[in-house]
Amino acid sequence: QVQLVESGGGSVQAGGSLRLSCAVSGYTYSATYMGWFRQAPGKEREGVAAIISSFDTTYADSVKGRFTISKDNAKNTLYLQMNSLKPEDTAMYYCAADRVDWVLTPGYKYWGQGTQVTVSS
């Protein structure tokens, strides 16, 4: 059984940083993409970043230069380092696994339950 469990969300002031983690079990993710998505109230879920290896990452334009996606295969954990946070980054953040293309669209097979990020101005 595949499980993805996010952690690391919280409340922070604009300009601050947070690091999200996604602990993965039951899934070998070296050959397909994993990603981070977010969804604000009343808005559609949007792709934030995706990774298959440290040499192959993709970011939404809105987070380029501020967010960094990474993964530690030995720890079976996916990360999202978020710097220079803005109020518009406020959302529920989800990790997802198992996709081979269109990696910033929500067609992933496995999803976590989400962790809330709130950025105040």
Side-chain angles (χ1 to χ4, degrees):
Q1 182 180 358
V2 177
Q3 283 192 318
L4 284 69
V5 180
E6 302 94 336
S7 62
S11 297
V12 64
Q13 289 192 329
S17 298
L18 285 172
R19 189 176 81 155
L20 306 184
S21 299
C22 174
V24 183
S25 60
Y27 177 72
T28 301
Y29 54 87
S30 62
T32 59
Y33 284 86
M34 294 193 70
W36 286 99
F37 287 75
R38 65 187 182 187
Q39 188 167 19
K43 294 189 177 181
E44 293 186 353
R45 191 169 295 191
E46 64 170 344
V48 173
I51 185 170
I52 191 167
S53 75
S54 59
F55 303 104
D56 190 346
T57 58
T58 304
Y59 295 93
D61 288 343
S62 59
V63 306
K64 280 181 182 177
R66 301 189 298 123
F67 290 11
T68 302
I69 189 171
S70 62
K71 63 179 183 175
D72 186 329
N73 290 339
K75 295 183 178 180
N76 290 346
T77 303
L78 179 72
Y79 301 101
L80 185 68
Q81 178 66 45
M82 305 186 295
N83 298 328
S84 302
L85 282 160
K86 304 175 181 180
E88 51 262 45
D89 295 318
T90 295
M92 185 71 78
Y93 283 71
Y94 301 88
C95 66
D98 200 355
R99 190 131 169 87
V100 296
D101 55 14
W102 300 99
V103 295
L104 290 184
T105 60
Y108 285 73
K109 185 173 182 179
Y110 305 108
W111 291 86
Q113 295 300 306
T115 186
Q116 178 68 38
V117 171
T118 302
V119 184
S120 58
S121 57

